[in-house]
Amino acid sequence: MPDEDRTLSPYTGYTRAHWEAAADSLLAAVAPYATENGALYHLPGAHTSWSGRLSDGLEGYARTLLLAAFRRDEKALERYADGLAAGTAGVWPRVVDRSQPLVEAASIALALRLTRPLLWDRLDDGVRQRAAAWLGDALTAEPWACNWELFPVTVGGFLAEVGHEPEASRAAIDRGLERIEEWYVGDGWYTDGPGRAFDYYNGWAMHLYPVLHAHLADDTRLLDLYGGRLSRHLADYARLFGGDGAPMRQGRSLTYRFATTAPLWLGALTGRTPLSPGETRRLASGALRHFLDRGAVDDRGLLTLGWHGPDESVLQGYSGPASPYWASKAFVGLLLPADHEVWTAREEPGPTDRADAVTPVGPPNWLLQTTTSDGLVRLHNHGSEDVRYDPYYTRLGYSTATAPSTSYDNSVIVGADPSRTGIEPLGAGDGWVASRHTAGGGAQVVNLVVARGAVEVRAHLVAGAVPGTPVRVTGWPEDDGVHAELLPAHNLLDSAGVTGPGATLFVALARLTGEPDPLPLTESVSVKVEGEEGQGEYDVRVSWPSGPSTCFRFRASDGRPSASSWSVKPR
């Protein structure tokens, strides 16, 4: 890598030259793993996705081609042109309903659209016809009901531009954009399909593809619509990066790593961002450096399957050897010329650098808790849930410094069951967030977090469990450089208690901090609980030494454990 530039980039030392060097290194490292005809990239490793080795090889081609396209690397693009000719001559699997090649077709189409004068326009007519025909299957292939709806949109945008099946291409665009409208929930947030799956797919898929399509099509109406949503999203999104550049470890596909920076660059590329150029680069370069400094690239120069280094706990069944190369999306910033202010402006502080903050995020019903002294961001999850049990969705809390533990951190374990399903948001406000979920044995749990600085008050009302059922409340996991605390405050001995008749309230104090000598928790906040045990009616008053005192009221509408309308309101 080039030498650091701490004058232009006081936070990260990275400049455009570092991004170019990273892209060049990643492209050079994968080249030896291409097949002789260049159509497939079989990266080393024993891990194979559920789509099989052939599909994994196509994934290696498509995702690294996307990197070459953002880099505008003409020499590399020549290699990929040879691979395109061979791949569409019968090597690549066809694009069919709900198949992985549909995903990779979108990357190939986007790369061809971005580099048309450098690649597509130089191909023989026969290769262009075969490539268009292979991509054309994506126009009618049925995607999964999630961000996959945008893959036919991306293919259709390119094919319409080159005049291939224009009516079918436009129909695919219109159909996909119409379908994602069902999942737009306001304030810049989408769910990733039906339900309440909120994660980074908002940025690197749900916003990226529509905004890039509108930008490349020069469609002012669409860019105003989708660009406006992106800008609003970035106001929240910028808060998901720690002071050390780490993105939030929440959601699936985390092995894409610095793909998290794609929407930051996209906002700058389209002028749809609330962030200054210096703040954009600080956040993006911080994330890139975070991973490069912590072993994301092995001694062969390859991105590994994992988070920092190899780590199978962050993988899904669709993860193949080349899956991490969706990190290529991070290099969308290289579409901006070297003299653009996002590259020439001095780095400016991001949200985590500026001030402590506790920020509610409405659509996903999250509370983001940031402290500048240690650069940590904590995400209190009271509204995001995957359709399966997934530790990266179902826990009550995530952070930029910790990963979910196998011992069920940030959970309410009723009986011996840590499950948390049917998450229902109950609102978020100034320093608090609340939700309800179904726990082990069908018990209902109302959860409240009140936060200030690094300190948290966690209250859990458990109803519908057999009296005497053990309940265990867990806090943050320990990790290098941070310290986790959990202290009982009501109805807990250490972290355990038992249910009584009716509904039982459990309260604990919690903290995750990187500070070496923080003020004791018991001196940082006081909690007073009033209410009759078993009645399901409690007032929880939270008082801060130098701040407001707030009372939160837990009530069952008719006093029964199975009551459907609980309320948690600050007073």
Side-chain angles (χ1 to χ4, degrees):
M1 295 289 272
D3 292 339
E4 293 182 356
D5 185 341
R6 291 289 174 174
T7 301
L8 184 63
S9 302
Y11 288 91
T12 71
Y14 273 23
T15 64
R16 182 185 173 92
H18 293 82
W19 281 86
E20 291 174 341
D24 293 342
S25 178
L26 290 170
L27 283 170
V30 299
Y33 300 98
T35 53
E36 185 176 357
N37 58 17
L40 303 168
Y41 281 67
H42 290 304
L43 302 188
H47 193 95
T48 302
S49 80
W50 56 30
S51 297
R53 190 168 187 269
L54 179 60
S55 178
D56 289 351
L58 169 61
E59 184 175 68
Y61 172 91
R63 298 189 179 195
T64 56
L65 167 61
L66 190 59
L67 175 57
F70 287 134
R71 181 66 177 102
R72 304 294 179 94
D73 185 332
E74 291 194 48
K75 186 175 181 180
L77 289 173
E78 289 177 4
R79 299 197 304 269
Y80 286 96
D82 294 339
L84 185 70
T88 57
V91 173
W92 290 345
R94 285 191 60 191
V95 179
V96 296
D97 292 351
R98 303 181 184 88
S99 66
Q100 188 65 29
L102 175 57
V103 183
E104 310 317 321
S107 289
I108 293 170
L110 179 56
L112 293 173
R113 193 175 187 185
L114 290 168
T115 61
R116 185 174 171 186
L118 302 177
L119 204 170
W120 181 260
D121 290 348
R122 299 178 183 180
L123 296 172
D124 293 340
D125 285 343
V127 176
R128 285 200 294 261
Q129 290 172 10
R130 292 201 310 271
W134 185 84
L135 290 168
D137 285 342
L139 301 177
T140 54
E142 186 63 29
W144 292 107
C146 61
N147 65 86
W148 280 46
E149 297 282 6
L150 292 168
F151 301 142
V153 172
T154 304
V155 174
F158 170 66
L159 292 180
E161 185 177 287
V162 298
H164 180 80
E165 297 188 23
E167 291 185 6
S169 296
R170 285 192 294 270
I173 294 168
D174 293 343
R175 182 175 62 251
L177 295 181
E178 180 180 344
R179 286 182 176 179
I180 68 168
E181 286 304 299
E182 302 172 24
W183 307 323
Y184 184 67
V185 292
D187 291 342
W189 285 88
Y190 295 87
T191 62
D192 188 17
R196 296 191 56 83
F198 295 98
D199 60 18
Y200 283 119
Y201 273 90
N202 262 272
W204 64 41
M206 305 303 288
H207 285 289
L208 181 70
Y209 292 113
V211 174
L212 262 184
H213 168 69
H215 172 70
L216 295 172
D218 197 22
D219 189 320
T220 303
R221 182 187 67 83
L222 286 183
L223 191 55
D224 286 344
L225 174 63
Y226 297 119
R229 291 177 179 179
L230 170 64
S231 182
R232 176 62 188 86
H233 182 69
L234 288 174
D236 293 329
Y237 192 84
R239 296 183 177 277
L240 295 176
F241 295 86
D244 62 354
M248 183 64 60
R249 266 193 265 190
Q250 180 271 340
R252 62 192 177 94
S253 299
L254 292 180
T255 195
Y256 302 158
R257 296 182 174 100
F258 41 85
T260 53
T261 68
L264 301 169
W265 293 121
L266 185 62
L269 177 68
T270 59
R272 267 65 176 188
T273 179
L275 310 177
S276 70
E279 184 179 1
T280 294
R281 195 175 77 255
R282 183 270 181 272
L283 294 172
S285 292
L288 177 64
R289 178 158 196 164
H290 177 84
F291 289 108
L292 295 186
D293 284 353
R294 290 167 174 79
V297 175
D298 67 15
D299 56 7
R300 296 164 295 191
L302 299 174
L303 286 170
T304 59
L305 280 162
W307 180 248
H308 290 148
D311 181 1
E312 293 207 356
S313 72
V314 302
L315 305 183
Q316 284 75 34
Y318 53 76
S319 301
S323 290
Y325 285 85
W326 240 21
S328 298
K329 294 181 176 186
F331 294 88
V332 67
L334 293 180
L335 296 179
L336 291 157
D339 61 355
H340 190 279
E341 59 184 346
V342 80
W343 294 117
T344 61
R346 192 169 189 266
E347 279 185 348
E348 297 179 10
T352 310
D353 305 314
R354 293 195 293 263
D356 289 5
V358 180
T359 308
V361 182
N365 206 53
W366 287 348
L367 191 70
L368 303 181
Q369 181 186 9
T370 300
T371 45
T372 59
S373 61
D374 52 15
L376 294 184
V377 185
R378 309 144 190 87
L379 186 161
H380 298 285
N381 171 35
H382 289 255
S384 181
E385 179 181 18
D386 196 9
V387 293
R388 305 147 294 192
Y389 178 85
D390 188 322
Y392 284 90
Y393 275 94
T394 51
R395 304 288 168 85
L396 285 158
Y398 299 92
S399 85
T400 54
T402 60
S405 70
T406 55
S407 58
Y408 299 103
D409 62 280
N410 288 299
S411 298
V412 180
I413 302 170
V414 180
D417 190 339
S419 61
R420 183 184 182 212
T421 59
I423 300 172
E424 179 184 351
L426 294 177
D430 185 13
W432 67 273
V433 65
S435 63
R436 175 173 54 236
H437 73 268
T438 300
Q444 296 293 303
V445 183
V446 176
N447 307 282
L448 168 72
V449 170
V450 188
R452 193 169 191 223
V455 177
E456 308 158 30
V457 176
R458 299 185 178 193
H460 311 283
L461 184 67
V462 179
V466 175
T469 300
V471 172
R472 185 161 64 92
V473 173
T474 62
W476 295 102
E478 293 279 357
D479 214 319
D480 292 342
V482 294
H483 176 60
E485 298 173 78
L486 187 75
L487 295 180
H490 183 76
N491 273 340
L492 292 170
L493 181 62
D494 292 328
S495 63
V498 295
T499 59
T504 307
L505 183 71
F506 303 94
V507 184
L509 309 182
R511 178 164 55 193
L512 178 71
T513 182
E515 291 188 26
D517 189 24
L519 189 71
L521 269 178
T522 52
E523 298 178 24
S524 303
V525 65
S526 65
V527 179
K528 183 178 181 181
V529 178
E530 297 178 351
E532 294 187 23
E533 297 295 341
Q535 298 301 309
E537 299 184 358
Y538 299 89
D539 283 350
V540 179
R541 183 168 293 280
V542 178
S543 301
W544 306 99
S546 59
S549 175
T550 309
C551 183
F552 295 85
R553 176 162 291 179
F554 291 75
R555 290 291 184 269
S557 61
D558 57 7
R560 295 181 301 172
S562 60
S564 60
S565 57
W566 299 88
S567 64
V568 181
K569 297 184 181 298
R571 181 169 64 90

